[in-house]
Amino acid sequence: MRTETHLAELAPRDRSVARPRRLRAHGAIRDAIADASVDPARLALPVFALDGDGREEPIASLPGHARLGPDRLVERLAPLVDAGLRSVMVFGVPDDKHDDARTLTAEDGPAQKALHALREAFGDRLLLMADVCLCPHTTHGHCGVPVTDASTGRVRIDGDAALPLLSAGAVSLARAGADWVAPSDMMDGRVAAVRTALDDAGHRDTAILSYTAKFASAHYGPFREAAGSAPAFGDRRTYQMDPRGVRDALRSARLDETAGADMLLVKPGLPYLDVLSALHDRTDLPLAAYHVSGEYAMVHAAAERGWVDARAVYEEQLVALRRAGADLVLTYAALDILSEDI
Ligand code: PBG
Ligand code: ZN
């Protein structure tokens, strides 16, 4: 039997001095024991697809990024793919907006054309994900269908009416070559509706990335400029989650799992690390985090003033998302991280 004396004899002479710095002393040991890292395979770059070869429109609030026609998109991505980029999220940006969202559902929509060009150029070197939502495609800029209530005269956003459009969009994008479709609309029942539509159309292997925990955030401004998708009236608070709530996200994760989501996403990223971590504890599905346009743009703006080193801040932010539980991080900063290697 061990006694106090016995233990004391075995212990280092001065037990009061622990030296955690030994684990920080050399780059090799720091790399060897890191809890998380930002490998390029963990990043997905959001891209904005225009209809028409040769087109290129810089996005002022997302410096370094542009809306691109199919050929220009391929040109811009080629060096990034060579540097290790493995995934993109394609957002179609139509020239004309229609409330039947025909540019989302048509075979020749801007995202569909981009997907064809990307597949042709990169084959299986690049995982193709495609956004499914109404807001960039409609004049009202909402993610569901605005309906005026006959009795009250108030406009509400109808989710059920959006499901057929979202489902048709998902099928069209899958047909155009998307490996994954990502419904970002936040309407109830969307994952089940999209899953059923994909299966019925024979796209059983097309996976669904669900925006499980998407918050009504003030960080989406630059994206809305890029996609021309700001709501024409009102806001998105009746369908995106209240930033003060975490249980809504946990419930939504359970619903999405049951409905057949293949991966769950939290958005924005950094303000919601607790949500990411809570989902990580509760689900066996892989998790994605969306480091959104505002998160990217704020760092860039500070860097322009010489106040921070953008690349270093991005790395720290992305590793935070990985540490909190994200397998995959959607980020505009993939550009900054990867261009070091070009
Ligand atoms: C909505 C959608 C949003 C973003 C992408 N799709 C949010 C919104 O406009 O409410 C934002 C992405 C970003 O900020 O990078 N379907
Ligand atoms: Zn939307």
Side-chain angles (χ1 to χ4, degrees), residues 124-155:
D124 278 344
R125 293 175 72 198
L126 201 55
L127 185 82
L128 304 181
M129 300 180 156
D131 181 68
V132 179
C133 198
L134 306 188
C135 59
H137 300 276
T138 55
T139 61
H140 52 73
H142 276 287
C143 307
V145 177
V147 177
T148 308
D149 192 292
S151 50
T152 65
R154 288 175 61 203
V155 178

Side-chain angles (χ1 to χ4, degrees), residues 3 22 38 40 50 60 71 74 79 84 89 99 116 120 133 139 144 152 154 252 275 280 317 321 331 336-337:
T3 64
R22 289 187 197 117
V38 181
L50 286 177
D71 59 338
V74 168
M89 174 65 74
D99 290 348
H116 281 295
E120 190 177 317
C133 198
T139 61
T152 65
R154 288 175 61 203
S252 169
V275 175
H280 187 67
Q317 293 185 336
L321 294 166
T331 178
D336 306 67
I337 302 290

